Amino acid sequence: MSDTNRPQADRPEHVLGELSVETFLREYWQKKPVLIRGAIPGFESPISPEELAGMACEEDVPARLILEHGDERDWQLKMGPFTEDDFRALPEDGYSLLVTDCEKIVPELMDVVERFRFVPDWRIDDLMISYAPPGGSVGAHIDEYDVFLIQAHGRRRWMIENPPAHTAYREGLDVRILEEFTPTDEWVLEPGDMLYLPPGIPHHGVAVDHCMTWSVGFRAPTQADLVGGVCDRLATLAEETRYSDPDLSTGDNPGALGPTTRRHLRDWVLSSLSADSARLDRFIAETLTERPVDHAVFYPHYDSEEVTAILDHMGEIEEIRRTPASRWLLLEPEGEDPGHLCIDGQSHVLDAESLPLARFLTQHVRFDGEPLAERAYNASARLLLDRILSAGQLMILDENDAEFDN
C-alpha cells in the first residue's frame, strides 16, 4: 500500500498527486490501493451538508439513509425522497446520508469528475456524495467496482483489509455488511485527500467529525449484461420468415428433438446472430452507452425553434457541456465502415463532414460555442448537432444564451 506525498503548488489540477497517469495505470489501477494526500489541494466542497439534505428531499434524486441502529432493525436502509421531518427524527449519530448521480443533478460538479478522464469515459459511472456525523459509517463492505474516495469536508478514518481475508456478509440486513473485518491499514483523510480502491478490497470509513466524502465510481458491466444487450440488437437483424421442414421424417420418439432438427435449428439461430466486426462494434458501443434507468429529468429540453436559434448563434455561446447524464462513444472509421457516434444507446452514422465534429464532442466535456460553430458549418455536421441538441444531450449552461431571436 502506498501513500504519496503532497503535490507541488504548481500542480494544483493534478488529481494523482506526484503519480503520473502512466504510473498509476501500470502499478495501481485494478491492482492495489493508493492514498494520495492533497489530490485536490485546497479543496472546498461547493455542496454543504444542509444542501445535500435538501437535494435528498427532491423527487427523482436517488438518495438513501443508512441507520446503524434503525427503528426496525440494525443497518436499516431508507430510500428517498425525504422530508424535513425525516431529518429532524434522525439520531445524533450512527447514520449516513448518500446521494448518487450528483454530477447529473448539479452539472457543475462534473468539473471534479472530469479530472478522472485518464480512464475512458465509458467506464466512469457517477459521483456519489455521502454525509455522516461523528462515528457515522455504512459499515465494512466490498465494492465490485473501482472507486476514488475524495474527502470533501471534515475528516474520515478509512480502514482497509488488504489482501482480503473476509468476504462473507451478515444475513438479514438491508445493506451488505461484512461478518468479519480485520484492518491491515488505516488513515485519516482530510479535505482534498483521496483514496483509490480497486474492486474487491474490504474497506470501512468512519466519520471522525461531521464529514462529507465524494465517491467517483466506475462502471464494470458483466459479460451477461453486455452479451444480452448485443444479442437484443442482433435479434433485430433476424428475418420474419417462419420455420419450415419440408424434408421432415419420423423418429422413434415424437417428444424428442432429433439430431437433424437440432442441427437445422442451431444453424438457423446462428445465421441470424452473425455480424461483421464493424456492426458488432456498433452494437457493443450502443449497449455500453445505454442508460439502465430513466434519467430524462436530468436532460435539458429545447424545442425546434430553440435548437434552430442555438445553431444559428452557436459561435456566441460562452459555455456548452455534454449533458452529464448522457453517455458518449466514438467509433472511428475503419475500412469501409464510415464510423459512428453512439450516444445513450443510439448511433449516428458519420461522414467526412460530420466526423471532425464528433471527434471534438467526444474529446471534450465542455467547450465554448465558437469551435463547435467552426465544425458545424456544413449540412451534415449541422444535422448531427441538431439531433444531439434536440435530444438534450448537450446543455447550454447559461440559459440566457439560448434565448436568441430567430
Side-chain angles (χ1 to χ4, degrees), residues 257-294:
L257 198 62
T260 301
T261 304
R262 288 163 58 182
R263 184 166 55 253
H264 181 42
L265 288 170
R266 184 167 60 243
D267 292 343
W268 198 40
V269 169
L270 289 174
S271 68
S272 70
L273 297 181
S274 62
D276 57 50
S277 58
R279 178 173 283 170
L280 191 57
D281 286 347
R282 177 164 61 86
F283 287 166
I284 290 172
E286 289 177 356
T287 301
L288 291 175
T289 59
E290 211 167 30
R291 279 291 172 194
V293 296
D294 183 6

Side-chain angles (χ1 to χ4, degrees), residues 5-6 11 37 95 102 121 130 151 160 215 246 256 274 337 358:
N5 295 325
R6 297 184 182 274
R11 297 171 59 191
R37 296 288 185 185
Y95 71 88
C102 288
D121 286 350
S130 63
Q151 194 58 28
I160 68 170
S215 303
S274 62
D337 183 72

